[in-house]
Amino acid sequence: MNYVISLMKDMVKKRRLIADLAKADFKKRFVGSYFGVVWMFVQPVVTVAIYYFVFGVGFRSANPIEGVPYVLWLVPGIVPWFYFSEALNAGTNCLFEYSYLVKKVVFRVEVLPVIKMISCLIVHFIFVLIMAALYLCFGWMPRLTWIQTVYYTFALTAYLMALVYFTSAIQVFFKDMAQIVSICLQFGMWLTPIMWQEQQFAGRSIYPLLCRVVKFNPMYYIVAGYRDSMLLENWFWQRPGLTLYFWGVTLCLFLAGLKVFKRLRPHFSDVL
């Protein structure tokens, strides 16, 4: 616990350096690209459009919430997943990307995953604004619960940090970790109710079990939370069981990931 406290204090003390490195990380993605930052949004927007036309138009999926267009139900689920997927992939490889900093004795390596999180957060906040603009285009007036997306973004970032401290440390010694993460993300997208909802299986024998099992996935809490905020006007304290479970899992993973990172850190520079 003393290690965690000292790390937090050090990050606060070096907040300006972290912010500068995060901005530089964000900008360098588009160096040499003619359209620059536009490319960052093209793929997610095209992905949303494909899923909408496949499920909302092609298969004519019934709107999960009566009176709510399918696209307005889909977007709050897929926007946090874009952030989760991008940040986990980028964070897993951050020690290789910044190997020149890892080899510096005076540099605290633990801030590198934080730099990646902030860089990805910039994009995520822009997507949240685009999501809000989409709702306005459909005639939805802003709701007080929309501000709750800030809380769920913080919760998702904390969960990501817990995972990235583990995956980035293992990636240094086990190069296949990045591929494993990529495969898990592909499965995870379909195991998380983003394009589907558990109510679709109501009436089947598997339904009660599915409702319990799907909630073990921490991303269920995040996706449901974004929809609660944007569509249903529900607050996070209205899901007390899920909230306690999510933060309990996140805290345990964070402490475990940080412990692994700390134990392997002395060997990073030798391997890189």
Side-chain angles (χ1 to χ4, degrees):
M1 187 57 68
N2 291 334
Y3 173 72
V4 176
I5 294 172
S6 67
L7 176 60
M8 296 301 150
K9 287 181 178 178
D10 198 39
M11 287 184 180
V12 171
K13 190 183 299 182
K14 296 179 179 178
R15 60 187 180 277
R16 182 168 295 180
L17 172 64
I18 293 173
D20 290 340
L21 287 172
K23 285 189 287 186
D25 183 271
F26 177 76
K27 292 177 181 177
K28 78 176 183 181
R29 302 187 199 185
F30 317 109
V31 174
S33 175
Y34 184 77
F35 289 103
V37 73
V38 173
W39 289 117
M40 181 164 289
F41 303 101
V42 169
Q43 183 178 358
V45 169
V46 170
T47 302
V48 170
I50 290 173
Y51 287 142
Y52 168 67
F53 282 106
V54 169
F55 292 98
V57 179
F59 292 155
R60 301 194 180 201
S61 301
N63 291 344
I65 301 176
E66 189 175 351
V68 177
Y70 182 80
V71 69
L72 294 188
W73 180 85
L74 173 65
V75 170
I78 208 167
V79 162
W81 184 266
F82 285 149
Y83 171 42
F84 178 70
S85 177
E86 181 193 11
L88 188 55
N89 275 320
T92 298
N93 291 292
C94 68
L95 297 181
F96 275 102
E97 187 175 343
Y98 288 98
S99 59
Y100 61 94
L101 291 177
V102 175
K103 295 175 183 178
K104 290 190 175 183
V105 179
V106 295
F107 188 82
R108 188 145 193 178
V109 184
E110 289 87 344
V111 305
L112 292 177
V114 178
I115 291 168
K116 279 296 180 183
M117 290 303 109
I118 296 174
S119 175
C120 294
L121 260 177
I122 296 172
V123 180
H124 179 64
F125 277 127
I126 296 173
F127 268 113
V128 170
L129 293 176
I130 293 173
M131 176 173 63
L134 178 66
Y135 273 70
L136 294 175
C137 289
F138 273 82
W140 285 57
M141 296 304 294
R143 304 179 179 193
L144 185 59
T145 51
W146 285 13
I147 198 172
Q148 191 177 228
T149 55
V150 176
Y151 159 74
Y152 283 107
T153 297
F154 171 76
L156 178 53
T157 302
Y159 178 54
L160 274 165
M161 289 301 302
L163 296 177
V164 166
Y165 271 123
F166 176 78
T167 59
S168 61
I170 298 299
Q171 170 71 3
V172 174
F173 304 93
F174 182 62
K175 305 298 187 296
D176 294 330
M177 176 56 71
Q179 282 70 36
I180 293 173
V181 167
S182 180
I183 292 172
C184 288
L185 285 171
Q186 291 180 42
F187 278 103
M189 185 172 188
W190 294 103
L191 293 175
T192 305
I194 295 173
M195 272 78 70
W196 58 275
Q197 60 172 350
E198 58 271 28
Q199 283 77 16
Q200 292 177 228
F201 299 89
R204 302 185 186 181
S205 58
I206 196 176
Y207 179 66
L209 177 62
L210 179 66
C211 286
R212 289 195 294 270
V213 171
V214 75
K215 292 177 182 178
F216 282 105
N217 177 2
M219 282 303 295
Y220 175 89
Y221 176 72
I222 301 297
V223 169
Y226 270 74
R227 287 182 175 140
D228 281 347
S229 303
M230 300 300 298
L231 289 172
L232 304 175
E233 296 185 271
N234 294 332
W235 297 95
F236 71 90
W237 56 77
Q238 293 177 254
R239 294 179 179 269
L242 273 178
T243 299
L244 289 174
Y245 169 75
F246 174 84
W247 285 109
V249 169
T250 298
L251 180 60
C252 291
L253 289 176
F254 182 79
L255 293 176
L258 205 55
K259 185 175 182 179
V260 170
F261 194 96
K262 180 185 177 183
R263 180 165 294 183
L264 296 178
R265 182 186 58 184
H267 309 288
F268 288 162
S269 58
D270 296 333
V271 178
L272 293 173

